[in-house]
Amino acid sequence: MSHASPRVIRIDTDAPYGSDVVASPTPVLSWITEVETPSWRQASAEIVVERESGAEEARIDGDASVRVAWPFAPLAPREEVAVRVRVTGLDGVAGDWSEPRALRGGFLAEGEWIAASIGLAEPAAAAQPAYLRTEFELGDGVRRATLYATALGVYQLALNGDDVDDQVMKPGWTPYQFRQIHETTDVTDLLVGGRNALGVRLAGGWATEEFGFRENARTFYAEQPSFAAQLVVEYADGSSETIVTGTDWRAATGPLVSSSLYQGEHYDDRLAIDGFARVGFDDSGWARAAAGDAIVTPEARTSPFVRRIEERPVVEVTTSPSGATLLDFGQNLVGWLRLRVSGPAGTVITLRHAEVLEHGELGTRPLRAAAATDTYTLAGDGVEVWEPEFTFHGFRYAEISGWPGEFDPADVTAIVIHSDMERTGWFETSDPLVSQLHENVVWGLRGNFLYLPTDCPQRDERLGWTGDIQVFAPTASFLYDVRGFLDSWLDDLAREQENADGIVPFIVPNVLGPARPAAAWGDAATVVPWVLNERFGDVNTIARQYPSMTAWADALLEIAGDRRLWEGRFQFGDWLDPDAPPEQPADAKTDADIVATAHLFLSTDLVARAAELLGHEDDAVTYRALAEEVRRAFLDEYVTPSGRMVSDAQTAYAMAIRFGIAPAEQHAALGARLAELTRRSGYRISTGFVGTPIIQDALTETGHVDTATRLLTQTENPSWLYPVTMGATTIWERWDSMLPDGTINPGQMTSFNHYALGAVADWLHRVVAGLAPDEAGYRVIRIAPTPLPGFDHAAAEHHTPYGTARVGWQREGGRIRVEAIVPPNTSARVVLPGGEELEVGSGEHEWTVDDTVVVVPPASVSLQSSLAQIVDDPAAYRAVLDVLEARKPEAAEALRLRTPWLPDRDLGETLSNRTGTDVQEAVADALAALDAERGVAR
């Protein structure tokens, strides 16, 4: 066999996507190898770093190529280097050197931050936007200029009239009292020898927003925004100077009259101060800047930048029943509108935003106290182009009023913003509704990953709820490279937790009062770090977060006491169980104590695994024993020996199976009961935040693929696909955020862009398509596709840390063809449909096996058929419903929503309690016609 030369095609580090700036003097390194040799493995790697002082070399023996420790002397602040890698395979063939990967030290030296915080001296209102400026002289021979800037608020900075970057809403939201982020920007090319000008646009953003619900809303961090920066200029002769913010700067108000995340922006272009960031601007009417609120010493950014990612045109213009002009952008998105307009000075254009229409009008009730309204006042000097800068909205629809002259929809564009992360995962399937469901999950992530993982992007909330990301982290980690994003957020979580005696607050950053423990929410402290290791091979984050993980587990164990049961405390439980009343979303079928103790086991078990991974042997033994005590207490208290649970609801069974609480010998009984309960509910979803991400795994693990398929493909309310049939383009917060009649759910908490219930996508990737990590970071891949009944094909592709992996299957004439791509330097454990197991190395693979799905011929159906038989036969079920909807709609509704579809109760008996004989006879005739159509003897 000939052996091809391996080629390193990419070198990765922890720099934000699209950047070469690293926040650590010892950044980790990863590289991806491309090679045609099958089953290729790396034997060694050579790494060279080229520095001003000369080249340094290192050799790594073995196959490590993901998150390799920096093997050189630490980087210095602002140091620029280039890294190259060359690999050699086990076959002895060495490759060429890679292209260089530039890196730059984006951090500051200890004590190097000296900038003072500044703002307006006499603001006219709370959260008053501000404009700041200064001018300064530079000598000739500038070699490098690095700008470090941050704000207690949100800002953009311009040098000599040009913005220094394309980021928006920077520096984002962190727990400002504990952790502040600075941007590091190379501005060498924006400076000139001699006189230079620096101008800042500043607003309050998260720092001055009022957080809280109803009358409890209040400003948490600051009354006014403030800004701090230092510009380090290095000259060719080795000298340097630093320009810093101070009270010698000038400050004023301007055209941005007010700005709020929730309320929107109001901009009066008649007050424009064009050129304020250029040399020679007359600032004689400006006041001296005042000292601002203290800013903690900022740290270099590790999370992705937020940018304008996409532009979307108006797809339809309609007039509402009240006469309002409504714009539809065809997609529920997050961002703002850009206008191109001309008209008389003083003309005010008003933009209102909402996610949905309700009976033809803008559906703003779910926004609660958020006005989500922008206004623009024209200067009247020709064509004017404007867009907000320091707010964002979640919307698909906008109402526009005050437009001068004839409106052209081409003059309005939706700007999509979110954290700029690399897309890494895709899924496709033959079922168009499931494909749309997956696309909705992607857009839900995009809308809620904006500096931190939020619950929703539109109403007066937009908070970093821990429970949402705890369940969604696996899905997110497949779809995008969220490692840096979630690593940074976990740092914030640990800082908040340290301030709360080990308790993880409901939201991070926490602006809702003292932290209280809640199962599935606080468990983000243990689950999310584990997911980052599982999906990205990120042991570093687990090591840093280990004290946070143990603190959370210890706090819960103390609450549980000697009984090892977490009982009797406040819980969100299986939040938003579809059977919970609209105003009582925690009132779920599964007892909250069962949810709590199951998560006590989950977190304690993860801490034990983390201790083993990190080599903390004593801790591993201790927490493994504690986890076993919790497991035994759970089983003794909540599970009968026959496999029936005290809380006889799907989420309870799914947790016992999926968390590994119940022993393997009980899984069959638990899975059978879970499947029975799923059928009993008419294959409509009956789980909330806790059960929804795991019910499909619990069903398929215990052999109930048919049941899982029916649950996935259900389109009646509640179900995953019901919102799709209602035109949803994101995942809804509630299963019925919009009711079938087009009315918004009456609950006060209703969002149309919440990703949590979209956590099912992880099951689509891992189980349906069959692509999953079998060892951390996909070092070993698990290929185990599950061809669902009624589906023709499915496939998933993921850019793993080692390269692109893909698994797909397709039905072809009674056979199933499975195709897979395994990236170099990895291997795969394969379980084919039918059960055959094998191991393969890297390269392209294909297998064909018999289709094991058995198509059972339909049986005769009649009024004497059991309810279970009717619901298990979609055509018969539809025939019954069609008759009832036409003859007695209220009976159809009752049958759908209040019928337990049991095997020992017949259809005729059920209908006799709800309909007259004429309707029953019509149903019997419809079933007889179905039998005849299918050629089934009666």
Side-chain angles (χ1 to χ4, degrees):
M1 177 186 296
S2 62
H3 295 274
S5 176
R7 184 167 65 96
V8 172
I9 60 171
R10 173 169 169 164
I11 300 173
D12 289 320
T13 186
D14 285 342
Y17 183 51
S19 171
D20 61 2
V21 177
V22 293
S24 168
T26 54
V28 298
L29 296 172
S30 302
W31 52 90
I32 293 175
T33 302
E34 186 178 81
V35 64
E36 294 179 0
T37 304
S39 301
W40 184 90
R41 280 283 184 179
Q42 175 185 296
S44 63
E46 300 163 85
I47 309 172
V48 168
V49 60
E50 297 166 356
R51 324 178 84 136
E52 287 188 3
S53 58
E56 298 177 18
E57 297 186 20
R59 177 185 172 91
I60 306 293
D61 289 324
D63 62 2
S65 64
V66 171
R67 303 192 63 77
V68 175
W70 182 254
F72 307 109
L75 298 174
R78 297 174 292 284
E79 182 180 8
E80 298 174 358
V81 303
V83 177
R84 295 176 183 266
V85 178
R86 178 170 69 180
V87 297
T88 300
L90 288 175
D91 55 10
V93 176
D96 295 330
W97 285 101
S98 69
E99 292 297 315
R101 172 68 155 91
L103 298 177
R104 184 156 46 100
F107 48 89
L108 289 158
E110 186 72 27
E112 192 177 1
W113 177 260
I114 57 173
S117 171
I118 60 172
L120 286 172
E122 297 182 1
Q128 177 69 59
Y131 296 81
L132 309 169
R133 76 179 305 272
T134 192
E135 293 189 16
F136 54 94
E137 294 281 344
L138 292 180
D140 294 328
V142 173
R143 182 175 68 90
R144 179 170 57 204
T146 307
L147 177 69
Y148 303 92
T150 191
L152 190 57
V154 287
Y155 77 95
Q156 181 53 287
L157 186 148
L159 270 170
N160 296 323
D162 294 321
D163 286 358
V164 298
D165 57 39
D166 62 354
Q167 299 175 46
V168 298
M169 303 290 292
K170 60 187 181 183
W173 188 13
T174 53
Y176 297 124
Q177 70 274 44
F178 307 128
R179 182 174 179 240
Q180 190 88 23
I181 300 300
H182 69 71
E183 310 297 338
T184 305
T185 311
D186 185 341
V187 295
T188 309
D189 293 341
L190 297 179
L191 296 175
V192 297
R195 197 74 172 164
N196 290 264
L198 189 156
V200 177
R201 308 187 296 275
L202 177 68
W206 295 274
T208 60
E209 191 56 74
E210 293 185 347
F211 298 108
F213 303 116
R214 294 175 288 277
E215 66 274 6
N216 295 318
R218 65 185 180 93
T219 300
F220 188 85
Y221 296 108
E223 293 296 325
Q224 296 293 336
S226 52
F227 171 79
Q230 58 192 57
L231 175 62
V232 179
V233 181
E234 301 168 83
Y235 292 95
D237 64 4
S239 63
S240 67
E241 63 177 311
T242 303
I243 293 92
V244 299
T245 45
T247 54
D248 57 330
W249 285 46
R250 311 291 284 176
T253 58
L256 183 54
V257 177
S258 66
S259 177
S260 163
L261 298 180
Y262 296 157
Q263 306 313 322
E265 285 199 356
H266 305 288
Y267 192 96
D268 188 342
D269 207 17
R270 297 172 299 178
L271 306 176
I273 45 178
D274 295 338
F276 85 98
R278 295 188 182 276
V279 171
F281 177 83
D282 181 8
D283 62 10
S284 59
W286 291 32
R288 291 174 65 91
D293 289 345
I295 291 178
V296 299
T297 301
E299 306 170 8
R301 171 171 301 286
T302 58
S303 61
F305 308 124
V306 171
R307 293 189 171 105
R308 299 170 180 85
I309 303 296
E310 182 181 339
E311 299 183 4
R312 296 185 71 92
V314 175
V315 298
E316 186 179 17
V317 180
T318 59
T319 301
S320 76
S322 66
T325 299
L326 301 179
L327 312 182
D328 179 3
F329 293 91
Q331 172 64 53
N332 195 9
L333 57 88
V334 173
W336 53 66
L337 299 181
R338 178 187 295 150
L339 309 181
R340 179 181 175 87
V341 61
S342 60
T347 302
V348 178
I349 298 174
T350 301
L351 308 170
R352 299 173 65 223
H353 306 77
E355 295 182 295
V356 296
L357 301 181
E358 186 175 31
H359 307 309
E361 300 287 354
L362 207 63
T364 58
R365 183 174 61 80
L367 300 176
R368 297 191 304 216
T373 300
D374 300 326
T375 65
Y376 176 65
T377 303
L378 275 67
D381 54 2
V383 176
E384 303 173 42
V385 178
W386 174 80
E387 62 188 85
E389 185 171 27
F390 297 128
T391 188
F392 62 89
H393 311 292
F395 67 101
R396 171 175 172 171
Y397 300 92
E399 178 188 292
I400 188 164
S401 59
W403 191 271
E406 185 177 353
F407 176 69
D408 183 350
D411 288 332
V412 180
T413 303
I415 309 300
V416 179
I417 70 167
H418 57 76
S419 290
D420 191 5
M421 305 165 293
E422 182 180 7
R423 181 76 186 267
T424 56
W426 295 264
F427 173 81
E428 60 187 55
T429 181
S430 56
D431 187 310
L433 294 181
V434 174
S435 294
Q436 183 62 51
L437 169 69
H438 190 268
E439 184 68 7
N440 293 359
V441 174
V442 174
W443 274 96
L445 181 154
R446 294 180 66 181
N448 283 290
F449 274 47
L450 200 159
Y451 286 117
L452 70 153
T454 55
D455 59 327
C456 61
Q458 75 298 99
R459 67 184 180 223
D460 57 345
E461 197 164 350
R462 314 181 198 184
L463 305 174
W465 285 93
T466 50
D468 299 55
I469 192 58
Q470 185 268 126
V471 300
F472 192 69
T475 297
S477 297
F478 181 91
L479 295 173
Y480 282 85
D481 181 357
V482 299
R483 198 215 62 80
F485 180 93
L486 292 179
D487 172 79
S488 179
W489 180 79
L490 283 169
D491 196 347
D492 293 340
L493 180 149
R495 311 281 181 111
E496 294 278 18
Q497 188 185 7
E498 288 172 9
N499 193 51
D501 297 324
I503 300 299
V504 177
F506 301 156
I507 62 169
V508 174
N510 182 24
V511 291
L512 294 183
R516 290 186 290 164
W521 271 249
D523 297 283
T526 56
V527 172
V528 178
W530 190 258
V531 169
L532 293 189
N533 179 63
E534 177 186 73
R535 302 305 175 97
F536 300 100
D538 185 7
V539 179
N540 303 49
T541 295
I542 285 192
R544 190 197 66 210
Q545 295 294 125
Y546 184 71
S548 163
M549 298 174 73
T550 57
W552 172 247
D554 290 347
L556 299 188
L557 288 163
E558 183 176 351
I559 291 170
D562 293 340
R563 294 186 69 228
R564 298 297 185 229
L565 297 172
W566 186 1
E567 295 179 314
R569 300 291 190 101
F570 166 83
Q571 297 291 346
F572 292 108
D574 194 21
W575 185 253
L576 286 172
D577 177 322
D579 293 327
E583 297 303 336
Q584 297 293 330
D587 190 8
K589 295 183 289 295
T590 301
D591 188 273
D593 288 346
I594 292 181
V595 172
T597 300
H599 282 82
L600 172 60
F601 171 81
L602 176 66
S603 276
T604 310
D605 179 63
L606 287 174
V607 169
R609 290 199 239 172
E612 293 168 0
L613 181 68
L614 298 173
H616 303 325
E617 296 180 3
D618 291 345
D619 279 4
V621 171
T622 297
Y623 285 103
R624 178 60 58 214
L626 289 167
E628 180 57 27
E629 291 175 13
V630 175
R631 189 181 77 85
R632 178 47 53 194
F634 182 99
L635 293 172
D636 289 346
E637 194 77 11
Y638 303 129
V639 185
T640 70
S642 64
R644 184 67 67 92
M645 296 197 67
V646 170
S647 202
D648 194 30
Q650 286 142 295
T651 292
Y653 290 93
M655 289 188 303
I657 295 166
R658 186 64 179 155
F659 290 178
I661 300 174
E665 57 269 21
Q666 277 193 324
H667 281 199
L670 292 167
R673 183 58 182 170
L674 175 59
E676 177 61 29
L677 290 173
T678 305
R679 172 207 272 161
R680 184 171 180 162
S681 67
Y683 298 106
R684 286 183 299 275
I685 199 76
S686 292
T687 52
F689 267 39
V690 170
T692 297
I694 59 176
I695 184 172
Q696 295 291 70
D697 275 296
L699 286 168
T700 49
E701 283 179 17
T702 55
H704 300 282
V705 174
D706 288 358
T707 303
T709 304
R710 287 292 305 276
L711 191 60
L712 172 67
T713 55
Q714 175 66 265
T715 57
E716 291 183 359
N717 176 29
S719 66
W720 279 294
L721 297 186
Y722 164 71
V724 176
T725 67
M726 293 290 287
T729 61
T730 43
I731 299 298
W732 293 353
E733 178 177 22
R734 295 179 182 269
W735 296 107
D736 58 350
S737 285
M738 180 167 283
L739 304 182
D741 66 357
T743 301
I744 296 171
N745 187 290
Q748 288 298 306
M749 184 192 72
T750 300
S751 157
F752 294 88
N753 194 353
H754 252 70
Y755 52 63
L757 298 179
V760 67
D762 187 54
W763 174 79
L764 294 175
H765 307 148
R766 289 182 295 99
V767 179
V768 177
L771 174 56
D774 207 56
E775 292 186 10
Y778 294 85
R779 186 175 182 272
V780 177
I781 296 169
R782 177 176 172 81
I783 297 173
T786 305
L788 301 182
F791 283 61
D792 295 328
H793 64 83
E797 182 176 305
H798 181 58
H799 294 174
T800 80
Y802 294 89
T804 299
R806 178 178 171 85
V807 178
W809 58 265
Q810 185 163 350
R811 283 194 160 93
E812 297 177 338
R815 305 273 282 170
I816 292 176
R817 177 165 53 86
V818 178
E819 297 178 326
I821 297 174
V822 180
N825 211 27
T826 70
S827 60
R829 298 187 179 109
V830 182
V831 181
L832 295 173
E836 180 185 356
E837 298 185 18
L838 59 153
E839 296 189 10
V840 298
S842 63
E844 298 184 7
H845 304 275
E846 182 177 324
W847 305 274
T848 300
V849 298
D850 290 334
D851 190 346
T852 57
V853 171
V854 178
V855 178
V856 179
S860 175
V861 285
S862 66
L863 292 178
Q864 286 70 50
S865 296
S866 72
L867 291 175
Q869 182 187 351
I870 295 296
V871 81
D872 283 345
D873 185 335
Y877 176 82
R878 188 67 260 164
V880 173
L881 265 294
D882 285 346
V883 172
L884 295 181
E885 286 169 352
R887 303 286 292 271
K888 195 171 184 180
E890 65 274 19
E893 186 74 359
L895 190 72
R896 267 197 302 262
L897 300 181
R898 292 191 291 275
T899 298
W901 299 88
L902 300 170
D904 296 323
R905 186 174 178 185
D906 66 50
L907 176 63
E909 175 190 358
T910 301
L911 293 181
S912 67
N913 296 326
R914 294 172 178 165
T915 66
T917 55
D918 58 331
V919 174
Q920 296 170 43
E921 290 172 359
V923 169
D925 290 344
L927 294 176
L930 177 63
D931 277 353
E933 177 185 335
R934 299 195 294 196
V936 177
R938 296 178 68 86

